[in-house]
Amino acid sequence: MITRFAPSPTGPLHLGHAYAALVAHDMARAAGGRFFLRIEDIDRERSKPQWEAQLFDDLRWLGLSWDGPVLRQSERLPAYRETLEKLWQNGLLYSCTCTRRDIEQAASAPQEGAPLGPDGIVYPGTCRDKGAPRPGQPLPNTALRLRMDLAATDTRFEETGPAHRGGHEITPDQMIREVGDVVLARREMGTSYHLAVVLDDAHQGVTHVTRGEDLFEATCIHVTLQNLLGLPVPSYHHHDLIRDAAGKRLAKRDDARALSKYRAEGATPADIRRLIGL
Ligand code: GLU
Ligand code: ZN
């Protein structure tokens, strides 16, 4: 078994991150497997070295050790590009220059209520033809969207998390209507979360993806990409999100729950495990 914790160094780790890290770590250790750490730093604007340094420090303080070298997504841009080139040459991508506003306007006309997918409004397809690759055209530095009508296959995966236990299956038709042409590369970024996470999970040989319930909806996109690229489909475990005393899910950016704050107040790693119910 190989698991991973994949934080983005864009802010302090909080209780929710500690929970995700401990779930992945404990699952691998209990099975005699391996646990990897991956730094998801493709957002160069928001990723900061000081957050990365603090993240290592917080994880070590929690008593976590990881196997092998740390993988940084910022070092994997050539691998992402190679895959994008291949998909582009095969006509599976198109260049999209729509702004968020363009998409909202196109999606809501003529009928009201644009369908919502895992990434927000299902893309109405405005650029599908005009952004299509011309023969010999190099990969453009724009957003690149996936032709879901060409890419979608039957999407199946095993899920062991509490909210969706069992096997899941999504039809190509559902992928087209309810997910649509997702972004595989953002402008100036050279990839998107979906592409990077799929390529890196395969690269690291991750067999069990553990992560928060908030990413469950994105999993059908990841499995579609795994099928398209001939990569193994791991097993998924989407765990509950940590809630505050009022039962509200902790936001990703809830700095009030930063581990460093608990540390400064004298909490021990055992206190943190107790707080998050582990
Ligand atoms: N980097 C993502 C986050 O911070 C996690 C990605 C994943 O586990 O697939 O939420
Ligand atoms: Zn567009």
Side-chain angles (χ1 to χ4, degrees):
M1 175 185 289
I2 299 181
T3 67
R4 47 64 163 190
F5 174 53
S8 300
T10 54
L13 291 190
H14 62 61
L15 285 184
H17 293 105
Y19 187 74
L22 288 164
V23 166
H25 169 269
D26 292 0
M27 193 188 271
R29 293 288 174 253
R34 278 178 292 160
F35 167 66
F36 290 139
L37 178 61
R38 181 166 80 224
I39 304 296
E40 302 215 318
D41 57 351
I42 49 174
D43 187 337
R44 303 309 293 155
E45 298 256 298
R46 291 170 57 227
S47 299
K48 299 276 180 266
Q50 74 262 29
W51 294 128
E52 190 180 305
Q54 194 183 320
L55 184 159
F56 290 132
D57 192 51
D58 281 341
L59 292 176
R60 287 202 189 93
W61 174 79
L62 269 177
L64 294 184
S65 57
W66 46 90
D67 300 303
V70 171
L71 185 70
R72 275 183 195 74
Q73 290 192 324
S74 55
E75 292 164 5
R76 295 263 303 147
L77 294 173
Y80 308 145
R81 185 164 178 111
E82 193 185 316
T83 299
L84 290 166
E85 295 269 14
K86 201 166 65 190
L87 294 174
W88 174 253
Q89 299 308 336
N90 289 329
L92 282 151
L93 302 179
Y94 60 88
S95 157
C96 173
T97 49
C98 296
T99 62
R100 190 182 294 264
R101 222 185 119 83
D102 294 335
I103 296 172
E104 280 165 12
Q105 283 176 349
S108 60
Q111 77 277 49
E112 291 292 303
L116 279 183
D119 283 346
I121 294 178
V122 173
Y123 183 64
T126 321
C127 292
R128 197 175 291 142
D129 294 330
K130 74 168 186 271
R134 292 184 298 280
Q137 185 189 1
L139 202 61
N141 184 21
T142 58
L144 298 170
R145 289 186 181 272
L146 179 67
R147 288 274 307 255
M148 193 58 83
D149 57 339
L150 302 179
T153 48
D154 272 319
T155 293
R156 281 191 206 100
F157 63 95
E158 286 306 313
E159 167 70 37
T160 59
H164 307 272
R165 207 176 296 278
H168 284 267
E169 193 170 342
I170 296 113
T171 65
D173 195 48
Q174 277 177 296
M175 288 302 297
I176 295 165
R177 276 185 297 112
E178 298 169 18
V179 179
D181 294 351
V182 291
V183 171
L184 292 198
R186 302 202 172 274
R187 202 168 89 86
E188 313 291 353
M189 207 182 266
T191 184
S192 71
Y193 160 66
H194 299 307
L195 183 68
V197 83
V198 160
L199 290 178
D200 291 348
D201 282 337
H203 178 71
Q204 294 189 288
V206 173
T207 60
H208 290 70
V209 172
T210 67
R211 59 188 180 192
E213 170 57 26
D214 52 341
L215 289 168
F216 179 79
E217 295 284 314
T219 304
C220 60
I221 301 172
H222 301 171
V223 176
T224 297
L225 289 174
Q226 286 150 3
N227 290 340
L228 181 66
L229 300 170
L231 304 172
V233 178
S235 167
Y236 285 88
H237 180 98
H238 291 90
H239 55 73
D240 286 335
L241 297 178
I242 299 297
R243 290 164 197 274
D244 66 14
K248 194 171 146 279
R249 285 172 168 195
L250 282 192
K252 281 228 160 99
R253 304 261 80 77
D254 189 346
D255 294 355
R257 307 281 162 158
L259 285 179
S260 52
K261 182 176 154 283
Y262 289 94
R263 289 176 67 176
E265 287 169 356
T268 65
D271 293 331
I272 300 294
R273 279 191 180 258
R274 246 192 317 278
L275 270 172
I276 58 186
L278 280 176

